[in-house]
Amino acid sequence: MKKTYYTISEVSEMTDVKPYVLRYWEKEFHELSPRKHSSGRRMYIADDIELIREIKYLLYEREFTISGANKELKSKERNKQLDIDFTGNRDNGYIISQLKDIKKILEGNANEK
């Protein structure tokens, strides 16, 4: 049975990343923000663990800097936003709405440069 929440020591063991490194990454990567129990203990979910593995890959395998890894993660998030489903029976209003969303995303990206 899969758990919903994992402690920092469990995540450390699963990802082979020391707990102090995980705490540091929380400060450097804003996407990584595990919930905290009322006692203050970090409670990671599966998405957090996946993100940790991706950060580890970018830093240790691809040798990105922390800044570069942050940019790469943000770029991937933008690409996910653009991944919109146009299949199936959609009315024109839905498609127009999706195209407007894409336009906003693209305009936002142009303003960042």
Side-chain angles (χ1 to χ4, degrees):
M1 183 171 91
K2 250 185 169 180
K3 293 173 63 173
T4 303
Y5 294 101
Y6 300 87
T7 64
I8 194 167
S9 58
E10 291 172 319
V11 173
S12 174
E13 191 173 308
M14 291 166 56
T15 61
D16 196 28
V17 176
K18 300 281 186 202
Y20 71 90
V21 175
L22 294 172
R23 288 189 291 271
Y24 175 72
W25 284 356
E26 286 175 32
K27 295 175 189 170
E28 298 298 323
F29 298 95
H30 299 291
E31 298 89 350
L32 181 60
S33 57
R35 292 185 174 106
K36 294 207 177 162
H37 189 271
S38 58
S39 65
R41 294 182 70 185
R42 290 166 172 80
M43 303 304 292
Y44 294 86
I45 60 173
D47 287 345
D48 295 326
I49 296 167
E50 183 180 325
L51 178 59
I52 289 165
R53 287 185 173 129
E54 187 168 4
I55 291 169
K56 180 181 176 185
Y57 170 75
L58 291 172
L59 295 176
Y60 298 159
E61 300 296 321
R62 303 234 0 241
E63 299 181 353
F64 277 66
T65 62
I66 287 179
S67 175
N70 259 314
K71 288 178 185 175
E72 181 72 10
L73 290 172
K74 287 179 180 147
S75 173
K76 286 185 177 187
E77 184 59 34
R78 284 187 201 114
N79 289 339
K80 283 181 188 175
Q81 289 175 349
L82 290 173
D83 186 20
I84 298 173
D85 179 19
F86 287 109
T87 61
N89 295 327
R90 305 283 186 195
D91 63 14
N92 287 342
Y94 173 81
I95 293 173
I96 290 169
S97 165
Q98 295 299 300
L99 289 172
K100 285 180 181 178
D101 289 345
I102 291 171
K103 181 179 177 187
K104 286 179 191 173
I105 292 168
L106 292 174
E107 286 173 343
N109 290 344
N111 291 337
E112 290 179 9
K113 294 182 179 180

